[in-house]
């Protein structure tokens, strides 16, 4: 495989990782065509009335990448960068992610291209409902199940379930990540962050690291970053830096996440938290820490800063935070990257538990959810690690090898190719 270029789009980057591993696995061309491309892509126009009476039009996407292993599954994000290419990339990552953790779903993703900070709550509700009604004919509990992602949450899912139900009848399993009172699962809100920490625990156990001796920097303090920080701190890891869009903070002796949460509740940002040094987001990525956890946007570690990363291990809590060029620079430098399709799979795993609870009309306790999540994450970590040892390759290539082999087998058994 030729060296990756530094200006790949998000979908081209995922395709690079795909072909790199498909070459190693000797996947034939017709199978590659089916696995690499997307099954269905839709773009919908979303005019909404603003609170002041004007009408503004936004655009939304839903990409169903591959459904060989089960119904399409994946979140919906509201973000200004959520164009068709990015949504395709994220849909494809969902296909490999669900296969790596062995939950019986395919991969999909949705996006509405909007800066959500410009929307009032009623505008956000109108946009969410409009999006769901425009894509409603391609979703279904056995077809395509949406969930939260960047800038969407349990409230978004409640509006989506309600909108879909008005046309087709009440159906909690139509979306996951719902509020508890509407059929959501215990533990879903924290699940992605909890899964990230389970992966960190598994790595620590493998290498004999003690949590209290390990320094961790987390980029992003949204749902994933903040839960990762909370649960990692509970487990004794030393969180020395965190950030959000307003800035980053550094405290070499470790942050009290409990106090930080109080500060965030009042100030609306991590910036300005007492007894910390203000730094910028780029500096956070380059801190001399043991573990770096990018938990926000994609492509934050790239060809210009990969040489300056000092962490020995990167855990990809965000989707596609490391570009292919950076990935190969980091591999050459001996930095371990635990890839997104493994590290952030806790969210979709608990979405699977939520979906099964909805179908059974039964509720698990939080202990049951977390225990099962631990089993899925530890098994996935062990399989990826073993595959990387067998193939003498990186954890990303090993995870893609597992994902691609699973999906190829399902596609062959169904007779797609
Ligand atoms: N949006 C999350 C992800 O990227 C969760 C998807 C889901 O629960 O379906 O994995």
């Amino acid at each position: 495989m030729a060296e990756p270029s530094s200006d790949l789009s998000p979908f081209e980057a995922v395709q690079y990782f795909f072909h790199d591993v498909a070459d190693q696995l000797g996947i034939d061309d017709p199978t590659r065509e089916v696995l690499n491309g997307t099954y269905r892509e839709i773009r919908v126009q979303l005019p909404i009335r603003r609170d002041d009476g004007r009408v503004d039009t936004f655009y939304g996407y839903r990409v169903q990448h591959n459904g060989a292993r089960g119904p399409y599954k994946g979140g919906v994000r509201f973000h200004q960068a959520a164009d068709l290419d990015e949504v395709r990339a994220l849909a494809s990552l969902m296909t490999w992610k669900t296969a790596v953790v062995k939950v019986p779903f395919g991969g999909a993703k949705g996006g509405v291209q909007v800066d959500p900070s410009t929307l009032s709550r009623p505008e956000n509700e109108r946009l969410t409902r409009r999006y769901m009604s425009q894509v409603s004919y391609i979703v279904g509990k056995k077809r395509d199940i949406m969930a939260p992602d960047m800038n969407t949450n349990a409230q978004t899912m409640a509006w989506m379930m309600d909108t879909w139900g008005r046309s087709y009848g009440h159906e909690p399993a139509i979306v996951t990540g719902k509020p508890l009172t509407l059929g959501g699962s215990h533990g879903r809100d924290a699940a992605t962050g909890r899964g990230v920490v389970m992966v960190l625990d598994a790595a620590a156990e493998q290498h004999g690291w003690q949590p209290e001796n390990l320094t961790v920097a987390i980029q992003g303090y949204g749902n994933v970053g903040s839960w990762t920080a909370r649960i990692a701190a509970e487990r004794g890891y030393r969180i020395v830096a965190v950030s959000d869009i307003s800035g980053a903070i550094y405290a070499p002796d470790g942050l009290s996440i409990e106090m930080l949460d109080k500060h965030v509740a009042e100030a609306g940002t991590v910036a300005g938290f007492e007894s910390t040094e203000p730094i910028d987001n780029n500096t956070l990525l380059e801190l001399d820490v043991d573990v770096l956890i990018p938990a926000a946007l994609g492509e934050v570690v790239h060809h210009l800063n990969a040489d300056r990363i000092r962490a020995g291990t990167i855990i990809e809590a965000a989707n596609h935070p490391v570009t292919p060029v950076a990935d190969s620079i980091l591999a050459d430098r001996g930095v371990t990257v635990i890839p997104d399709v493994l590290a952030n799979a806790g969210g979709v795993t608990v979405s699977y538990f939520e979906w099964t609870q909805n179908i059974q009309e039964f509720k698990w306790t939080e202990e049951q959810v977390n225990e099962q999540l631990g089993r899925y994450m530890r098994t996935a970590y062990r399989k990826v690690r073993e595959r990387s040892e067998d193939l003498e390759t990186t954890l990303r290539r090993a995870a893609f090898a597992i994902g691609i082999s699973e999906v190829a087998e399902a596609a062959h058994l169904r007779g797609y190719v």
Side-chain angles (χ1 to χ4, degrees):
M1 191 85 182
E3 283 300 305
S5 123
S6 61
D7 58 2
L8 299 179
S9 73
F11 189 48
E12 285 168 345
V14 181
Q15 286 178 304
Y16 177 85
F17 290 136
F18 170 84
H19 285 301
D20 184 27
V21 174
D23 283 351
Q24 283 180 352
L25 295 174
I27 302 279
D28 60 67
D29 286 346
T31 307
R32 257 179 219 239
E33 178 71 27
V34 169
L35 265 53
N36 180 43
T38 58
Y39 167 67
R40 172 155 52 188
E41 305 180 337
I42 62 169
R43 169 181 173 278
V44 289
Q45 196 178 50
L46 306 169
I48 58 150
R49 196 165 291 282
R50 293 289 197 166
D51 295 342
D52 65 7
R54 281 179 305 121
V55 171
D56 274 337
T57 300
F58 299 95
Y59 290 90
Y61 305 93
R62 183 72 180 170
V63 173
Q64 297 173 334
H65 176 258
N66 187 289
R69 297 183 58 263
Y72 298 97
K73 183 85 191 82
V76 180
R77 66 171 53 180
F78 280 19
H79 195 270
Q80 47 280 31
D83 60 9
L84 184 55
D85 184 88
E86 154 139 299
V87 176
R88 272 185 194 135
L90 296 164
S92 161
L93 287 173
M94 288 308 300
T95 298
W96 316 125
K97 192 185 302 184
T98 52
V100 166
V101 277
K102 282 204 167 37
V103 294
F105 290 131
K109 199 80 173 202
V112 175
Q113 201 161 8
V114 60
D115 174 357
S117 69
T118 63
L119 298 172
S120 69
R121 184 182 159 97
E123 290 168 347
N124 192 320
E125 176 174 352
R126 288 196 284 278
L127 189 57
T128 301
R129 289 187 184 277
R130 180 61 65 109
Y131 173 77
M132 178 42 122
S133 54
Q134 307 296 56
V135 302
S136 60
Y137 65 98
I138 61 154
V139 300
K141 72 171 175 187
K142 298 282 175 72
R143 295 190 179 280
D144 184 351
I145 305 116
M146 305 210 247
D149 196 78
M150 199 176 278
N151 299 319
T152 53
N153 54 31
Q155 177 62 75
T156 318
M157 295 304 115
W159 289 328
M160 285 190 172
M161 183 192 83
D162 182 73
T163 302
W164 195 86
R166 286 181 194 187
S167 304
Y168 305 99
H170 180 61
E171 181 52 83
I174 190 68
V175 291
T176 58
K178 298 176 292 293
L180 266 177
T181 37
L182 293 178
S185 175
H186 287 291
R188 175 61 186 84
D189 204 31
T192 309
R194 189 174 296 283
V196 170
V197 180
M198 285 166 168
V199 162
L200 171 59
D201 279 343
E205 195 186 321
Q206 178 191 346
H207 299 289
W209 301 330
Q210 294 307 316
E212 56 281 10
N213 296 334
L214 228 55
T215 53
V216 180
I218 302 176
Q219 193 215 20
Y221 207 72
N223 172 279
V224 179
S226 66
W227 278 110
T228 301
R230 255 165 244 141
I231 297 166
E234 256 167 49
R235 311 256 323 126
Y237 295 97
R238 189 143 57 95
I239 317 293
V240 296
V242 297
S243 68
D244 61 25
I245 38 173
S246 306
I249 53 171
Y250 178 50
D253 292 333
L255 294 157
S256 156
I257 301 301
E258 221 180 307
M259 300 296 286
L260 174 63
D261 279 338
K262 284 195 185 124
H263 168 83
V264 172
E266 280 161 25
T269 168
V270 299
F273 181 44
E274 59 179 16
S275 318
T276 61
E277 187 188 323
I279 55 174
D280 66 37
N281 257 291
N282 294 332
T283 311
L284 179 140
L285 295 169
E286 297 167 17
L287 284 176
D288 187 8
V289 289
D290 297 305
V291 181
L292 171 66
I293 306 186
L297 287 168
E299 300 169 2
V300 294
V301 181
H302 43 69
H303 63 292
L304 299 175
N305 64 2
D307 270 329
R308 297 203 295 270
I309 301 292
R310 284 185 283 172
T313 300
I314 297 181
I315 305 184
E316 294 187 330
N319 286 312
H320 71 92
V322 175
T323 66
V325 181
D327 200 54
S328 78
I329 296 172
L330 294 166
D332 289 346
R333 293 184 47 221
V335 177
T336 301
V337 179
I338 306 186
D340 45 10
V341 291
L342 167 65
N344 71 29
V348 74
T349 302
V350 176
S351 276
Y352 165 56
F353 301 157
E354 180 174 330
W355 181 77
T356 55
Q357 290 170 74
N358 292 154
I359 287 170
Q360 295 169 16
E361 300 191 23
F362 190 74
K363 199 132 191 138
W364 298 3
T365 63
E366 185 161 1
E367 290 68 36
Q368 281 173 298
V369 169
N370 292 344
E371 193 194 313
Q372 290 296 326
L373 175 62
R375 280 190 41 215
Y376 275 73
M377 295 304 295
R378 278 191 298 275
T379 305
Y381 182 87
R382 181 169 46 76
K383 296 244 157 152
V384 170
R385 196 191 89 197
E386 284 168 3
R387 186 66 86 100
S388 87
E389 285 162 5
D390 288 352
L391 300 176
E392 294 180 0
T393 192
T394 61
L395 295 170
R396 187 186 313 279
R397 285 205 184 98
F400 268 72
I402 292 172
I404 294 170
S405 310
E406 289 280 324
V407 179
E409 191 186 343
H412 288 152
L413 286 167
R414 279 179 180 249
Y416 287 2
V417 262

